[in-house]
Amino acid sequence: MCGRYAASRSPEDLAGIFGIERWEPATAEESLEPDWNVAPTKEVYAVLDRPEKDAADPRPVRQLRKLTWGLVPSWAKTPEGGARMINARAETVHEKPSYRRAFAARRCILPADGYYEWVTGTEERDLEVEGKRKRPRKQPYFVTPADGSVFAMAGLYEFWRDPTLPGDHPRAWWVTCSVITTEAETAPLAAAPADGPGALADIHPRMPLMLTPDRWDAWLDPARTGPEELRELLAPPPEGLMRAYPVSTAVSNVRNNGPELLKELAAPEVGTLF
């Protein structure tokens, strides 16, 4: 799954990486600060191709937008369920009522440095089984491209109109998003340590669907709407592109934020894991 990630690149960096044509925040305050502990309901950057409103040219324009993480379907009566709809499974995204319309017409890329996943240690599980610990401690791992490139997560976005507000109210329209997940890789990680996880599947059975640069244009193209054509875009990336390493348990508290959360630990803080 993907319940927490890091996103520290600036709009200028993202513009160069993705070929952004439009990013015009009204003020500097509208830009998002680097976030090393992105959690559901936070605002995040998304890359999308969409025609500009009221523009004479109908062609899609590549834009950098701020969206709220946690998708609210257009038909929802209230936005309360958005915090739970942070992930959409690649295997069923084309048929689930909450996601199928967005999958057909509103796909995006959510740029990240990488994502966090938690592992329960062997000793902690034993204590839980023996009834000596009700809430076993978990060791966070950070998963990131081994070459330091951007982790381009496949995403969906949706518009929701708040019926309780007038049309000109700044919160009348919500634009929300979800991360698509797929089965975690079972192939060996790049530079896997001898005493660490050998594959992403050893950490968690699911992972965000990462899009390699050769697939960005096709994924973002709103003209692609055929179900079978779109499902082909959900293929997992080539194996062996990721590395994973233990980080401080401080990341488990969403109030903690800073580049120190990405510091690689020499050894896990929570005993034996693998």
Side-chain angles (χ1 to χ4, degrees):
M1 63 176 295
C2 179
R4 208 80 66 79
Y5 68 93
S8 65
R9 286 177 169 83
S10 69
E12 292 76 18
D13 289 341
L14 296 175
I17 293 170
F18 292 101
I20 301 297
E21 299 174 83
R22 181 177 177 275
W23 163 243
E24 299 175 358
T27 65
E29 288 73 21
E30 289 189 10
S31 295
L32 297 177
E33 292 294 324
D35 195 337
W36 290 272
N37 203 353
V38 180
T41 73
K42 280 190 172 183
E43 283 192 311
V44 299
Y45 283 135
V47 178
L48 53 94
D49 284 3
R50 187 177 179 83
E52 292 191 281
K53 187 177 181 180
D54 301 324
D57 187 351
R59 73 177 182 88
V61 174
R62 184 151 302 176
Q63 306 174 33
L64 185 65
R65 293 276 197 98
K66 289 192 304 182
L67 310 183
T68 299
W69 187 18
L71 190 139
V72 179
S74 59
W75 43 261
K77 294 182 179 179
T78 67
E80 274 72 22
R84 298 190 302 272
M85 300 181 68
I86 60 173
N87 294 161
R89 295 174 67 93
E91 298 85 348
T92 58
V93 67
H94 65 289
E95 60 186 13
K96 291 291 185 180
S98 297
Y99 301 118
R100 61 190 180 197
R101 290 183 181 178
F103 178 57
R106 287 176 289 280
R107 297 177 300 278
C108 64
I109 290 175
L110 301 171
D113 303 323
Y115 70 99
Y116 300 100
E117 196 56 81
W118 281 258
V119 179
T120 302
T122 303
E123 298 167 2
E124 294 292 310
R125 283 196 298 268
D126 291 343
L127 290 173
E128 184 181 25
V129 170
E130 295 169 7
K132 296 179 181 179
R133 178 158 290 167
K134 292 184 179 180
R135 297 185 64 183
R137 295 181 300 161
K138 296 186 177 184
Q139 173 63 51
Y141 273 77
F142 187 63
V143 182
T144 186
D147 63 0
S149 61
V150 66
F151 194 123
M153 300 188 296
L156 308 174
Y157 69 99
E158 189 58 276
F159 295 93
W160 181 78
R161 173 73 165 86
D162 188 339
T164 67
L165 298 174
D168 58 352
H169 193 281
R171 293 293 295 169
W173 285 95
W174 292 42
V175 191
T176 59
C177 61
S178 184
V179 175
I180 294 180
T181 66
T182 188
E183 290 187 357
E185 294 178 5
T186 57
L189 286 163
D195 57 349
L200 290 180
D202 294 337
I203 301 174
H204 194 278
R206 306 290 297 179
M207 63 176 284
L209 176 61
M210 188 183 84
L211 300 172
T212 49
D214 59 299
R215 297 168 61 193
W216 293 351
D217 289 346
W219 177 255
L220 295 174
D221 185 359
R224 291 176 181 257
T225 58
E228 294 306 316
E229 180 184 31
L230 292 177
R231 291 181 68 181
E232 292 177 1
L233 300 177
L234 296 171
E239 297 175 338
L241 299 180
M242 309 291 188
R243 65 182 296 252
Y245 59 85
V247 294
S248 170
T249 53
V251 74
S252 301
N253 187 334
V254 71
R255 290 189 293 271
N256 294 328
N257 210 317
E260 67 277 4
L261 297 180
L262 300 189
K263 182 180 179 181
E264 182 171 359
L265 300 181
E269 294 179 335
V270 186
T272 303
L273 295 171
F274 301 97

